Amino acid sequence: MSALGGYAAGATTASSIASGPLFVSQSASCSDSAGLGSAAVPFCTICAAVNMVEPGQTVMVEPGTYNESVSITRSGTADAPITLQGVPTQAGSPVYVNPAGRAAGFDVTGAQHIVIKGFQPSGEYAAAFSIGSSSDITLDSDVATSYKEPGIHVTGASSGVAVTRTAVLTQYSAGVEVDGGSTGTVLASDQVNRTRPTSTALGSHHGASLEDRGPARFAASVRAPISRPMAAPAQSRYANLVPALRRLLGRAKHLSQSLVGLLHLGRYRPSSSCTSLARP
């Protein structure tokens, strides 16, 4: 069954599309040129839906690999934000966003009141999420994977950016970087890990207001050794074995997630990119 199959696919009218959700799928029935974005005829790319979305609407994206860089310049309102929602299947199939070369997975520029949740964007030579000169932006339940740039980069005097329940997996760069001039950045219940010990996991914030509202986890390195006393008594040594194994299994899990995300960067070569149309 389609992940979007719970939505009625009846007759589509201009008014229903304007007020209801927009759908994105890689199914055989998808079409960007038709311009409907209905459950029956969904868009093929996230870009096409972003170019049509209005305040208060939700873009529902089925699992798959979307080889595009999603540029968002349209804005919602405080009472009617624009929401981009990755819709996983019951088996947990992810929604990948793979941009070309130096493009960000999601590039939010000059926008307000945006929620992006349930996606797994990657960045090779750009951030997975780039938030520039924007306000009231929420990244929730995402997985950001990056190679040589921060997983999440907040720039250009942005304000009110919230990163919640999100995993950030990096190799050669900081997990989260907030430039000077940006204020009110909040990290809550996130996991930030890197596979190389050459940079700060959390990243730098250059004097910006960065608030950690835990329970967040910022791992120094997923390859950090487990320390055990060399000459501990037998009882103490075995008492420490179980928590040590738990820590080891936890680090192995995060390392495997990091490797899967990083290998995914080179597996798919993007074929398209987009720029969101400005509101008339």
Side-chain angles (χ1 to χ4, degrees):
M1 179 179 293
S2 168
L4 305 181
Y7 293 87
T12 300
T13 65
S15 60
S16 67
I17 290 298
S19 58
L22 299 178
F23 299 95
V24 180
S25 173
Q26 295 179 335
S27 65
S29 63
C30 75
S31 174
D32 285 348
S33 59
L36 293 178
S38 64
V41 186
F43 291 118
C44 300
T45 63
I46 304 171
C47 293
V50 166
N51 289 339
M52 296 287 292
V53 70
E54 297 290 338
Q57 281 188 300
T58 297
V59 176
M60 308 289 291
V61 184
E62 273 198 345
T65 298
Y66 295 84
N67 295 325
E68 52 186 313
S69 174
V70 182
S71 178
I72 302 172
T73 59
R74 310 189 80 157
S75 295
T77 67
D79 295 328
I82 288 173
T83 300
L84 277 65
Q85 171 72 67
V87 183
T89 63
Q90 290 183 351
S93 299
V95 183
Y96 291 113
V97 177
N98 290 305
R102 298 186 180 278
F106 285 91
D107 188 347
V108 183
T109 303
Q112 295 80 42
H113 313 299
I114 305 291
V115 178
I116 303 174
K117 60 190 304 184
F119 292 90
Q120 295 195 23
S122 60
E124 190 169 0
Y125 294 99
F129 287 102
S130 178
I131 313 296
S133 302
S134 299
S135 62
D136 189 20
I137 309 297
T138 298
L139 309 179
D140 180 60
S141 302
D142 299 300
V143 178
T145 304
S146 64
Y147 181 56
K148 288 193 174 181
E149 293 296 324
I152 299 172
H153 195 184
V154 181
T155 69
S158 294
S159 63
V161 176
V163 182
T164 60
R165 299 182 297 178
T166 289
V168 184
L169 312 173
T170 66
Q171 185 167 5
Y172 286 103
S173 185
V176 180
E177 184 169 323
V178 182
D179 287 352
S182 296
T183 59
T185 301
V186 174
L187 308 178
S189 301
D190 304 303
Q191 293 185 354
V192 181
N193 293 281
R194 55 179 164 70
T195 59
R196 300 282 180 172
T198 56
S199 60
T200 305
L202 173 59
S204 52
H205 48 88
H206 304 296
S209 174
L210 183 64
E211 183 178 355
D212 168 19
R213 291 182 180 174
R217 173 184 174 134
F218 305 111
S221 172
V222 296
R223 297 190 297 181
I226 298 173
S227 60
R228 284 195 291 263
M230 295 297 294
Q235 182 177 0
S236 175
R237 183 165 59 247
Y238 290 120
N240 291 332
L241 181 59
V242 171
L245 287 174
R246 287 175 178 170
R247 289 195 298 271
L248 179 59
L249 289 173
R251 290 187 176 107
K253 178 181 177 181
H254 291 303
L255 178 58
S256 64
Q257 291 174 339
S258 301
L259 292 175
V260 169
L262 292 170
L263 287 173
H264 197 273
L265 291 174
R267 185 177 303 170
Y268 304 98
R269 296 298 358 133
S271 59
S272 66
S273 62
C274 74
T275 300
S276 178
L277 301 177
R279 188 180 304 281

